[in-house]
Amino acid sequence: MPLFCLLTTAGCDSSANPEELAPARLDVRTVPQVDLKPDDAIVAADLTEGDGQTLHVVWNAAVQETTGTLPRHASLYVRSEDGGNTWSRLTVIDRSFGAPQIVTSEKQLHVVTGSRLRHLMSDDGGKSWSDLGSLLPKAIKGNVACDLTNIDASSRALVCLVHPRTPYDRNERGSEHRQKVLFGHLPARGKAKLLTIATFPSSVSGPPPPRLVVADDVLHVLVGVNEDQWQQVASDGNVPALKVVGRMYTFRSDDGRTWSNAVAFSKADGQLEPIEAVEGLAVKGRLYAFFSAHGVFFTRSTNGEEWSVARQVSPYRTGIAPGGPDSSLLSAAVSPEGKGWIAWIDERYRRSTGRWWNPLGGLPWSDDTQMLRNLSLI
């Protein structure tokens, strides 16, 4: 049965080295109202902090009502005013598929969720919600991956990568089968408008959420785009083989209305496996981009236009679990001291006692001490 848990870092010293974080006390709190059956799933989740003790949590659940049918989706909201000890009643804020995003800004809560990017706002701490309208004119038949970010204390922005469901046969792909990068400011009240920054060819592989990074009052959008490359099979020149290649692109803007052309960067050989996750940071005047594509890769820039050659920062290489990527779910943050942190889930298995070892009950960690390097200082 799926459980929704929060991990709090009570007792952690943010200035310590990763190896020193091993004995830290990590409190896991379970949100009790998530009453899901074994066949149900939590698709995506996001949270934000209010006043230091108040937590606001949103997630999308897939409820399987009848075997063999598509699940019913709903986005849900819950809050805790005492650091996760007790929780409010569950509120359904949308009834469609989509990864919800939530931010706190000037004593307001803003949520974007659903297949049409429904914008919801609360000015009473989540007790009631105002519907500010949908940002897309119609639901996308495919995926919409977004990042909702505070630009400053009074403004928010949304960047999305829209990926329509793409036919495998190239001859069936029309002009509507293109990936689009969208950006828009979210006002405190009123409807937001999304601007198309760029378009890319479609792919059979869906996109990871893009990232919006603010550095020295300049907006930077980091996008991981998966593209299809068709190659002829050596044994039969008439049969094309599909290879999905991931590439990283960045865009920059001073005001969010006009944007630079796309700047591409990747590994030294110019090709990557499909990109699973993207993350970005601004630390002491420099931009840092991280992306997961058969390993976690890292590059940096001083202006967002010229980037260093991406290098792998995954600390080791072991066997790959069949059928899955070796890293995913990147997350990054900057400490008050100005240090950048990057963490990821390592999908590769390690053998510590001759068996698969998974002490966290769902994430593929082992008791190998090298697991501490999954949390790495820049």
Side-chain angles (χ1 to χ4, degrees):
M1 178 178 297
L3 294 177
F4 192 0
C5 300
L6 298 178
L7 188 67
T8 61
T9 55
C12 287
D13 179 5
S14 63
S15 63
N17 292 324
E19 290 78 4
E20 297 173 354
L21 291 176
R25 178 170 60 88
L26 299 178
D27 296 331
V28 178
R29 312 292 176 87
T30 301
V31 180
Q33 288 91 344
V34 184
D35 187 16
L36 299 178
K37 303 184 296 296
D39 291 337
D40 300 336
I42 296 173
V43 178
D46 194 20
L47 78 158
T48 187
E49 186 182 49
D51 56 8
Q53 282 293 314
T54 303
L55 299 173
H56 304 275
V57 184
V58 291
W59 68 94
N60 190 269
V63 179
Q64 192 72 49
E65 295 181 323
T66 306
T67 302
T69 63
L70 294 175
R72 174 172 53 86
H73 286 268
S75 289
L76 309 151
Y77 164 81
V78 71
R79 71 180 177 279
S80 173
E81 298 179 355
D82 55 9
N85 293 314
T86 61
W87 296 89
S88 67
R89 294 176 61 89
L90 205 61
T91 301
V92 178
I93 57 176
D94 188 73
R95 295 188 181 276
S96 65
F97 172 78
Q101 298 277 305
I102 185 170
V103 295
T104 305
S105 178
E106 279 198 328
K107 298 183 180 180
Q108 290 182 333
L109 292 171
H110 290 263
V111 172
V112 174
T113 185
S115 55
R116 292 184 58 193
L117 300 181
R118 187 181 179 195
H119 181 197
L120 303 170
M121 186 275 294
S122 174
D123 53 14
D124 58 6
K127 297 180 177 64
S128 63
W129 294 88
S130 299
D131 190 345
L132 301 184
S134 297
L135 306 183
L136 296 178
K138 62 181 180 179
I140 298 297
K141 294 181 179 180
N143 298 319
V144 182
C146 299
D147 183 25
L148 177 59
T149 305
N150 283 323
I151 296 179
D152 52 39
S154 60
S155 61
R156 301 139 302 280
L158 181 74
V159 59
C160 300
L161 185 55
V162 177
H163 183 276
R165 189 175 296 123
T166 303
Y168 186 86
D169 188 343
R170 289 176 293 174
N171 296 324
E172 296 180 4
R173 301 181 185 181
S175 59
E176 73 276 12
H177 297 122
R178 291 187 65 84
Q179 304 180 67
K180 296 181 180 180
V181 183
L182 307 178
F183 173 87
H185 290 282
L186 268 63
R189 299 186 186 277
K191 189 173 182 179
K193 294 183 179 180
L194 295 182
L195 171 71
T196 300
I197 298 177
T199 63
F200 295 94
S202 59
S203 171
V204 297
S205 179
R211 292 294 180 232
L212 177 63
V213 181
V214 183
D216 297 330
D217 297 326
V218 177
L219 304 174
H220 300 270
V221 170
L222 308 176
V223 182
V225 177
N226 292 321
E227 303 171 356
D228 293 349
Q229 287 189 357
W230 295 86
Q231 303 170 343
Q232 298 299 325
V233 179
S235 59
D236 188 347
N238 296 321
V239 180
L242 173 63
K243 176 179 175 62
V244 179
V245 175
R247 302 187 190 280
M248 287 293 301
Y249 295 90
T250 64
F251 307 85
R252 65 191 303 271
S253 173
D254 294 328
D255 54 12
R257 292 188 292 270
T258 58
W259 290 82
S260 67
N261 294 326
V263 176
F265 59 88
S266 61
K267 282 174 56 180
D269 60 11
Q271 291 189 343
L272 290 167
E273 300 296 321
I275 294 177
E276 302 289 339
V278 176
E279 189 55 278
L281 283 177
V283 182
K284 297 180 179 178
R286 281 189 173 182
L287 289 170
Y288 296 83
F290 300 87
F291 52 97
S292 171
H294 195 70
V296 178
F297 293 84
F298 154 79
T299 180
R300 64 187 177 186
S301 172
T302 57
N303 55 14
E305 297 179 352
E306 298 177 352
W307 293 81
S308 64
V309 174
R311 61 182 178 86
Q312 187 168 351
V313 296
S314 302
Y316 55 87
R317 298 185 63 83
T318 60
I320 306 298
D326 59 357
S327 55
S328 64
L329 298 179
L330 291 174
S331 183
V334 180
S335 70
E337 296 81 13
K339 295 181 179 179
W341 293 81
I342 179 69
W344 62 89
I345 290 179
D346 198 312
E347 305 284 0
R348 294 169 291 184
Y349 62 85
R350 277 164 281 178
R351 297 179 181 274
S352 57
T353 58
R355 59 187 176 88
W356 285 42
W357 186 244
N358 204 346
L360 295 187
L363 301 183
W365 300 94
S366 79
D367 58 356
D368 191 323
T369 56
Q370 288 203 44
M371 82 177 192
L372 297 175
R373 297 182 186 174
N374 282 278
L375 183 61
S376 301
L377 261 178
I378 298 173

